[in-house]
Amino acid sequence: MLDKNSYIPIYIQIEEIIKQRILAEEYKIGDAIPSERELSVQFDVSRMTVRQSITNLVNDGLLYREKGRGTFVANPKLEQPLQGLTSFTEDMRARNMVPSSKVVRFEKIIPSVEVAKDLQLELGEEVFFVIRIRNADGIPMAIERTYIPVKIYPTLDASKLEGSLYTLIETAFQQRIGNAIQQMEAAIVSKEDSKFLQINQAAPVLIIKRTSYLTNDTPFELVRSVYRADRYKFISQISR
Ligand code: 16G
């Protein structure tokens, strides 16, 4: 329990105790934890101190608050490695989750100058513009807006993109995927994406822009993916 003589601040000790209770499933995923008032009585500390601990756990993604309802235990975030050129389908299957996709838009367009440049297309060459909601076990995890050159995959259609794009490229089109360049940034979700992802407006998201190349160096996709920041953390291994 709490050690009030310890050099470790009380609010940090409370954080640790709450973490232990989550680990021990005394507080289960999706369940409400006791109120600040109850916890302050339990620990015999001020509500301010309890609030500080809870705020830190909310910021770490272990708990989430719902206005007027209380504080709940969050699902652990999915850890997504930043090395290895994998597909959403592969990533979810590796976690024993069932991937599925909903194509909410599929059209042939003339892309902007920036998109054409990234995909090394001549001005006026067409791309398929696709918006897909990517689900894991039926829950929306990410939105992807993908640009794919029509000249490489002229027979592509929306139904094929309900499944894996990478599998399609490697099996039906018999091409080899080589590497990709990614950029990541944080943002606040747009109104449209908050509906797709079924999250609050103004929730934080992580945006990854990926340009991927076949082994012959031809760019075959430009993708802007919007991930729920409350469900994802990205991990990279670095060495020196
Ligand atoms: C990932 C890729 C995306 C790719 C998709 C293919 C990131 C940031 N993005 O989501 O670029 O188009 O996988 O997945 O990882 P699929 O083969 O399941 O359609």
Side-chain angles (χ1 to χ4, degrees):
M1 279 307 259
L2 280 188
D3 176 358
K4 291 199 175 161
N5 298 317
S6 166
Y7 64 92
I8 301 170
I10 297 291
Y11 73 91
I12 294 186
Q13 293 187 45
I14 294 178
E15 264 181 65
E16 286 308 317
I17 294 172
I18 295 178
K19 277 187 198 165
Q20 289 308 323
R21 290 180 180 174
I22 294 173
L23 265 179
E25 294 189 40
E26 189 179 325
Y27 302 154
K28 294 195 177 60
I29 293 170
D31 280 359
I33 64 162
S35 67
E36 284 177 9
R37 196 178 48 76
E38 286 171 84
L39 289 171
S40 71
V41 173
Q42 240 182 64
F43 294 120
D44 190 24
V45 296
S46 73
R47 274 178 74 168
M48 283 282 288
T49 306
V50 170
R51 184 165 309 151
Q52 171 81 62
S53 318
I54 291 179
T55 301
N56 289 350
L57 292 168
V58 167
N59 292 340
D60 287 349
L62 269 90
L63 300 175
Y64 62 94
R65 288 192 173 106
E66 277 195 13
K67 255 209 186 109
R69 289 196 56 223
T71 306
F72 299 82
V73 181
N75 255 308
K77 291 187 185 186
L78 297 185
E79 294 190 359
Q80 176 69 34
L82 281 174
Q83 62 267 30
L85 181 44
T86 52
S87 71
F88 182 84
T89 303
E90 290 163 342
D91 292 341
M92 294 309 123
R93 287 198 178 134
R95 300 189 173 100
N96 291 320
M97 297 176 104
V98 179
S100 62
S101 304
K102 186 169 174 210
V103 179
V104 290
R105 191 148 156 193
F106 180 91
E107 58 186 355
K108 226 185 243 182
I109 60 165
I110 306 266
S112 67
V113 177
E114 289 82 10
V115 172
K117 202 169 147 221
D118 269 357
L119 290 172
Q120 296 171 18
L121 297 174
E122 301 292 333
L123 230 66
E125 281 186 313
E126 289 176 314
V127 294
F128 290 111
F129 173 54
V130 189
I131 305 183
R132 293 195 288 173
I133 303 176
R134 312 301 310 258
N135 306 306
D137 290 342
I139 296 168
M141 289 288 158
I143 309 285
E144 290 178 349
R145 290 178 174 76
T146 312
Y147 300 88
I148 305 168
V150 172
K151 66 177 178 192
I152 313 186
Y153 308 107
T155 55
L156 199 63
D157 63 48
S159 67
K160 293 184 181 132
L161 290 172
E162 303 279 347
S164 165
L165 171 64
Y166 284 10
T167 304
L168 191 75
I169 290 174
E170 290 171 331
T171 55
F173 289 97
Q174 296 271 306
Q175 291 174 335
R176 292 183 59 203
I177 295 173
N179 51 57
I181 294 189
Q182 284 193 169
Q183 297 172 20
M184 195 195 303
E185 60 186 333
I188 294 296
V189 72
S190 69
K191 208 170 171 186
E192 181 181 42
D193 288 353
S194 72
K195 286 187 193 132
F196 287 149
L197 289 172
Q198 297 167 21
I199 54 176
N200 289 336
Q201 274 183 38
V205 287
L206 295 158
I207 296 180
I208 297 191
K209 183 182 153 194
R210 183 189 277 191
T211 311
S212 316
Y213 301 81
L214 299 172
T215 43
N216 65 10
D217 292 336
T218 308
F220 68 89
E221 67 165 3
L222 169 64
V223 188
R224 192 172 174 279
S225 308
V226 179
Y227 288 87
R228 297 173 54 153
D230 63 336
R231 298 295 295 112
Y232 266 92
K233 60 172 128 172
F234 292 87
I235 315 282
S236 57
Q237 189 181 13
I238 48 181
S239 42
R240 104 181 194 141

